[in-house]
Amino acid sequence: LLRSPHCHSSTGPMDDINRVKRVSIEGNIAVGKSTFAQLLQFAGQDWEVVPEPVGKWQSIESGSSQQKVSNLLDMMYQDPQRWSYTFQTNSCMSRMRTQLQPPPARLLRAEGVPVQVFERSVYSDRYVFALNMFELGCINSTEWAVYQDWHSFLVEQFGRQVELEGIIYLRAPPQKCMERLGQRGRVEEKGVQLDYLEKLHTQHERWLIDKSTKLHFERLTRVPVLVLDASLEFEEDPKVWAKFITQVKDFFS
Ligand code: DCP
């Protein structure tokens, strides 16, 4: 599905880089994206997982001394009205950096279809989280206009480098994510309510299933989406995991 026509006819370094497919893993908070990504990394040598930079949001560093100045994730949950725009700016900037990382040499030498797998993307930042915060009134209309302006500008400027060839949607009921969120116990998230996860679930569904989110990037509407039932305990049940891997391999080949 994700194979490109010039897959086996590489002639130079740019062709090598263009051979690498970029795929993001999307899904609600605590659905299991990191676990899924780690397991995926072990399952195929042509796949490279680039983790989400959440640690950076928990530890904002001063530009000059590089000392920790704050925990922006915590600030955003404590006072969303004040900090959502700042958080979404920071989150998307760190994501841009991540998505712009060149694929490692190992991947360029891969025989099959080399795949760079990202946890989330600049697209879920905008069409799930920032949009949700705007709809909740935590990002005001001026901030939303500014956000959309720089987001569109950067994505268009970087072009091919931040485009995706596929999306894996880990889909699970918000109640299931709530249970997993409780089990993992990230301190900043202790105030997160089921209602918030329900809203994020709806945003994912609108974007990836109903296709009713108004997307600024025309190409994004054509990106293939693989939907996996992440309510199943894929980490504990080898049968579930084996089935997932088959689906992912079919999707990548
Ligand atoms: N977050 C946010 N806005 C974004 C991206 C993330 O508010 N644009 C928040 C939601 C979570 C934290 O950052 O509190 C990390 O969210 P993710 O769902 O991206 O990562 P998880 O670690 O929760 O994913 P999983 O448990 O599925 O691995």
Side-chain angles (χ1 to χ4, degrees), residues 13-222:
M14 268 330 278
D15 274 352
D16 277 344
I17 288 177
N18 287 337
R19 263 182 68 216
V20 177
K21 303 290 153 239
R22 293 150 203 270
V23 171
S24 79
I25 304 174
E26 308 288 356
N28 214 335
I29 300 177
V31 71
K33 294 178 293 297
S34 307
T35 313
F36 182 87
Q38 278 165 18
L39 291 171
L40 206 56
Q41 177 98 49
F42 290 121
Q45 46 178 314
D46 297 346
W47 306 340
E48 170 80 17
V49 173
V50 189
E52 182 174 57
V54 62
K56 290 205 167 170
W57 316 331
Q58 291 168 303
S59 185
I60 298 292
E61 291 176 355
S62 127
S64 48
S65 67
Q66 294 188 328
Q67 284 185 338
K68 178 178 171 173
V69 288
S70 56
N71 179 339
L72 188 51
L73 184 65
D74 196 43
M75 289 154 79
M76 189 265 301
Y77 278 123
Q78 295 292 332
D79 189 353
Q81 209 96 24
R82 169 66 185 84
W83 291 109
S84 283
Y85 175 77
T86 313
F87 182 89
Q88 293 307 326
T89 305
N90 185 249
S91 156
C92 198
M93 284 303 286
S94 54
R95 191 99 55 196
M96 289 271 178
R97 282 203 184 96
T98 308
Q99 271 185 254
L100 288 168
Q101 271 179 36
R106 173 182 84 70
L107 216 53
L108 299 179
R109 292 192 299 268
E111 280 292 302
V113 184
V115 186
Q116 224 178 351
V117 185
F118 301 97
E119 279 181 55
R120 290 204 185 284
S121 59
V122 294
Y123 306 107
S124 44
D125 270 337
R126 174 165 171 175
Y127 293 116
V128 173
F129 285 97
L131 175 62
N132 193 52
M133 283 309 193
F134 169 62
E135 288 179 358
L136 288 175
C138 295
I139 284 181
N140 67 37
S141 47
T142 306
E143 292 169 324
W144 184 223
V146 172
Y147 178 99
Q148 292 181 97
D149 188 37
W150 63 249
H151 188 283
S152 300
F153 175 71
L154 288 178
V155 170
E156 277 153 14
Q157 286 296 310
F158 286 123
R160 166 77 182 87
Q161 288 172 281
V162 290
E163 276 173 8
L164 296 174
E165 278 85 25
I167 293 174
I168 299 175
Y169 175 27
L170 299 187
R171 190 184 197 196
Q175 183 62 48
K176 189 63 166 172
C177 298
M178 194 71 206
E179 281 165 30
R180 292 178 182 163
L181 187 137
Q183 282 158 13
R184 99 163 150 214
R186 191 181 275 154
V187 225
E188 295 88 348
E189 294 170 346
K190 61 183 183 301
V192 172
Q193 306 285 318
L194 180 60
D195 175 56
Y196 184 59
L197 296 189
E198 279 168 350
K199 291 203 164 63
L200 292 175
H201 178 73
T202 303
Q203 299 293 3
H204 280 93
E205 294 283 300
R206 276 186 198 151
W207 172 32
L208 299 169
I209 305 285
D210 311 335
K211 318 268 182 193
S212 58
T213 306
K214 202 168 163 288
L215 304 173
H216 175 80
F217 311 102
E218 206 268 325
R219 202 187 170 281
L220 187 60
T221 59
R222 297 193 302 271

